[in-house]
Amino acid sequence: MSGVYLDYNATAPVRPQAAEAVARAFAVGGNPSSVHASGRAARAIVEDARNAVAAMIGGPASTVVFTSGGTEANALAIESAVATGSKRLVVSAIEHDSVLESAKASGAAVEYLPVNADGVADLAWLAERLGRWDAADGRPFVALMHANNETGVIQPVREASEIVRSAEGWLHVDAIQTAGKIVTDSRALGADTLVVSAHKLGGPQGVGALTFGPRATLVRRQHGGGQERGRRAGTENVAGIAGFGAAALAAMRDREINAAWRDAAAERLKAAGAVVIGEAAPRLPNTLCVATADWGAELQVMALDLAGIMVSAGSACSSGKVKASHVLTAMGLTELAGCAIRVSGGWATTQEDWAAFAAAWEQVQSRHAARRRAPAA
C-alpha cells in the first residue's frame, strides 16, 4: 500500500498472522460439519479460532457465534430481543448505522439515549427512563457501544450495565472499535450481548462474532442447517474465521497503542485552528476526530488523499457518501458536523505516519485558508 494509511477504524490492514492462517485454512479444505478427516480438520480450525476470540472478549467459547460481520451480529442481537418480547428499544444517539438501522427495521418502537457535549452517554437520562418503564413494552433493551467509531470516545458501559440490570433489561454492546485496541471483556463490562468484527483488528473482511451471557436468548435470523449450535445457519466461513482467530491472538499480544503520537499530531492541528472532538472524554488511543469550521470533510479527505494520506470522514459504511455526522449532531456540534475528519491508526502505524499526516494537513489547510482570503475575481 503506497502512502500513509490512517483509516483503521474503517478497516485495518490484514496482519501477516491472519493472512497465513487464511492460506492454511484454504489448503485444508473440507466442510466443518463433515465427519471425515478433512471435515474434522476444518472443524478444529473453527474451534481454535472460537477459543481465541473468546479469550479476547471474555466468556466461554461456547457463547461465541460467528457471523458474516458486525452488521449481522448487531442485527442478530436486536432481532433476538424483539423476538423474545422487547417492544421498545433504547439505543444511544451515536450508535453505528448497523445498530440504528436494525433497530428501526425491527418493528419495535425506538428511543434515543442522548449524549453530552463530549459525546458521552447521559446515564442520568437512562436511569430515569428505565425507572418509569411500562411493562407493556416488554423487557427493556439498551444498545450502548463501547467506543464510538467516529470520535473514539469510550462509553461508560459498566455503569450503564448496572442501570440496565436493575431494570431487568438487556444491554447490547457494539465493541467493534475497541476489541484489539483496549481491554474488551464482555463479563467485566456487564454486557448481555457483545459484538466484534475481524477486519477492524487486522483480520479478513466479512467475518464477525457475537458473544452472549445467560440473560440473553438468541433467536436465529436465518434458517437452514444447525451450524453454530443452531444459532446461525449456513456453512461457516472457515478461512475467514481462521484469520479472525489469528488476528485476535496477535491483537492481544500487541494491544498497547501509543496515544502520544496521536496527541502530538492533534496539537499541531489545534495550533492552526482545528477543533479536536471529544478531547475532554476518555478516547481510544488510536483515534483522532478533528474539525475545521467552513472546511468540508470531503474536501479535506480529497486534499489529504492527493498528498498521500488516507483518512476518512466519519463512518465508512455510507456507500462512499460524505454527509453530516449524526454523531457530532447528537453532541450539539451541528456547525461542525459536516467538517470533521477521522484519523485512526493501528497495529502497523508508526510515529512517522502521524507526523506525516500532521505535516500534510498543515500544508493543505494553509492552501485552503489562502484561497478563502483571496479576493473574488
Side-chain angles (χ1 to χ4, degrees):
M1 181 187 299
S2 59
V4 174
Y5 184 81
L6 288 171
D7 199 15
Y8 277 68
N9 285 11
T11 199
V14 175
R15 295 173 183 264
Q17 302 94 324
E20 293 165 6
V22 168
R24 289 195 299 270
F26 276 133
V28 168
N31 187 315
S33 295
S34 298
V35 298
H36 50 58
S38 183
R40 294 196 305 273
R43 172 54 56 192
I45 290 172
V46 170
E47 297 311 317
D48 286 347
R50 198 186 310 277
N51 287 329
V53 172
M56 179 179 67
I57 59 177
S62 60
T63 67
V64 172
V65 180
F66 286 119
T67 66
S68 65
T71 295
E72 183 193 343
N74 278 323
L76 176 57
I78 291 168
E79 295 181 14
S80 292
V82 174
T84 54
S86 295
K87 298 178 182 179
R88 183 174 295 274
L89 313 176
V90 177
V91 300
S92 85
I94 59 168
E95 293 297 305
H96 187 272
D97 281 344
S98 64
V99 171
L100 295 173
E101 294 301 316
S102 290
K104 287 190 286 187
S106 69
V110 182
E111 293 185 45
Y112 298 98
L113 167 60
V115 298
N116 64 21
D118 294 320
V120 179
D122 185 344
L123 297 191
W125 182 96
L126 179 63
E128 190 276 333
R129 180 63 188 89
L130 296 188
R132 55 180 175 85
W133 194 261
D134 189 336
D137 288 328
R139 185 183 184 188
F141 176 92
V142 177
L144 178 61
M145 63 197 333
H146 194 189
N148 183 258
N149 50 299
E150 294 186 27
T151 65
V153 171
I154 299 170
Q155 299 300 315
V157 173
R158 178 66 231 180
E159 294 85 348
S161 73
E162 296 172 358
I163 297 170
V164 175
R165 185 153 299 201
S166 68
E168 299 183 352
W170 175 328
L171 178 65
H172 175 66
V173 178
D174 178 339
I176 288 171
Q177 290 297 344
T178 58
K181 298 171 187 172
I182 62 175
V183 174
T184 303
D185 188 310
S186 61
R187 292 169 298 186
L189 290 171
D192 294 299
T193 45
L194 181 141
V195 165
V196 291
S197 181
H199 76 105
K200 303 296 187 180
L201 51 93
Q205 296 169 344
V207 59
L210 177 148
T211 185
F212 63 96
R215 291 161 28 86
T217 300
L218 297 189
V219 178
R220 67 164 69 190
R221 300 180 62 242
Q222 56 192 51
H223 302 278
Q227 293 90 350
E228 294 302 289
R229 295 176 173 84
R231 300 181 184 110
R232 196 266 185 184
T235 300
E236 291 93 343
N237 174 6
V238 178
I241 290 170
F244 193 177
L249 290 175
M252 285 188 287
R253 287 194 293 268
D254 63 7
R255 190 153 39 198
E256 186 66 31
I257 296 174
N258 196 326
W261 303 344
R262 184 268 316 269
D263 293 341
E267 289 302 317
R268 293 174 64 173
L269 272 63
K270 287 167 59 180
V275 176
V276 174
I277 308 300
E279 186 176 23
R283 288 177 295 152
L284 292 174
N286 78 311
T287 304
L288 172 64
C289 182
V290 62
T292 306
D294 300 320
W295 188 14
E298 186 172 13
L299 295 177
Q300 294 183 61
V301 170
M302 290 190 296
L304 287 167
D305 192 35
L306 291 173
I309 309 294
M310 289 166 272
V311 302
S312 67
S315 173
C317 299
S318 301
S319 302
K321 296 178 288 186
V322 176
K323 56 186 180 181
S325 165
H326 73 275
V327 174
L328 270 62
T329 299
M331 295 169 65
L333 302 174
T334 306
E335 294 183 359
L336 297 178
C339 303
I341 60 172
R342 179 186 67 187
V343 190
S344 50
W347 67 267
T349 305
T350 65
Q351 183 175 10
E352 289 72 24
D353 291 336
W354 280 104
F357 154 70
W361 187 93
E362 288 170 335
Q363 291 177 356
V364 297
Q365 191 274 342
S366 178
R367 292 196 295 267
H368 171 76
R371 285 192 296 268
R372 288 182 58 81
R373 290 193 299 268

